[in-house]
Amino acid sequence: MAEQHIIEEAWRGFVKKVYDAELPREQHDEMRRVWFAGAFALWTSLMSNLDEGDDATEFDLGRMQAIENEFERFQLEAEALAARSAGTEASLKPTCGRTGCDRAPTHYLVLKIPPHGGSMAQALKAAVGVVLCRDHAEEATAVEILANGTDRIRDAVTATGKLAPDFERAEIEVRRVGDAFWNDVQARVAISQGGGRA
């Protein structure tokens, strides 16, 4: 297998997506160090805290879910800050994640993927990073959600020594996004702009 540079490629993609002009060298280097420090902190957190064995335990799944939730909150904060800075969005609440739908997002999806040869009780649970209106959340399929992510998920799971996921038996759980979820996003945005307390 050829050597992969997953974190470096993600860094380059981030810079290309976020910055139109070339970054000054000093700023680029400092941001890259911070990027890798964050990735290293996540990696060591996962590797040093997962339970031993081939199957994911409830503790493992809970830890992965907590990390996914943090990433989801950060993504919403970043989108809200960008919209507010651009003056294009009056509200911090985005619209449905389905292209062309302008309804309020009220639900998110949790994908449950059992290991090959394992039971659904051993399933990896991962929140999908898109918030949808009720109708689109209820019609989503595992095949649609997994269309572009199976290789990344399989690689991440097997890298921890766990059994490969069985995508053909994946199930979707639809969960309602509560006001506490949005209040948390709004509070974090206010704090990051100097308008609140940590």
Side-chain angles (χ1 to χ4, degrees):
M1 174 189 241
E3 184 178 0
Q4 296 181 357
H5 300 277
I6 297 166
I7 298 168
E8 181 69 34
E9 288 173 20
W11 160 250
R12 289 180 185 159
F14 168 78
V15 171
K16 186 176 180 179
K17 181 177 180 180
V18 175
Y19 295 97
D20 294 331
E22 191 169 314
L23 284 170
R25 188 72 190 163
E26 187 175 310
Q27 183 180 2
H28 175 277
D29 292 348
E30 186 62 28
M31 288 177 64
R32 185 174 177 274
R33 279 193 287 274
V34 170
W35 180 274
F36 271 83
F40 182 74
L42 176 61
W43 177 255
T44 56
S45 171
L46 287 173
M47 294 299 99
S48 64
N49 291 302
L50 292 178
D51 287 339
E52 292 184 21
D54 289 340
D55 296 327
T57 65
E58 279 301 313
F59 177 81
D60 295 343
L61 298 176
R63 192 152 183 83
M64 297 298 271
Q65 183 64 56
I67 291 168
E68 177 72 23
N69 291 343
E70 284 187 76
F71 284 139
E72 187 174 300
R73 282 193 304 271
F74 177 80
Q75 181 179 2
L76 289 171
E77 290 170 31
E79 288 170 359
L81 282 170
R84 182 176 273 179
S85 295
T88 58
E89 187 74 34
S91 169
L92 291 176
K93 294 185 181 182
T95 58
C96 174
R98 183 64 60 97
T99 303
C101 181
D102 61 357
R103 288 180 277 182
T106 55
H107 292 76
Y108 66 100
L109 309 174
V110 174
L111 195 59
K112 297 188 288 188
I113 311 168
H116 274 287
S119 70
M120 198 52 84
Q122 300 166 309
L124 171 68
K125 294 179 186 175
V128 177
V130 177
V131 186
L132 303 167
C133 68
R134 185 188 70 206
D135 292 342
H136 285 130
E138 290 176 352
E139 69 185 29
T141 66
V143 171
E144 173 187 26
I145 293 167
L146 291 168
N148 298 317
T150 54
D151 290 339
R152 287 185 309 197
I153 295 169
R154 182 182 307 104
D155 291 348
V157 171
T158 56
T160 65
K162 308 291 183 193
L163 294 175
D166 186 350
F167 297 109
E168 302 213 359
R169 294 191 300 137
E171 295 179 0
I172 294 178
E173 180 181 326
V174 177
R175 294 186 183 173
R176 182 157 177 73
V177 174
D179 287 339
F181 178 86
W182 294 119
N183 291 341
D184 183 50
V185 171
Q186 289 176 336
R188 288 171 182 269
V189 169
I191 290 167
S192 67
Q193 292 181 337
R197 295 183 298 150

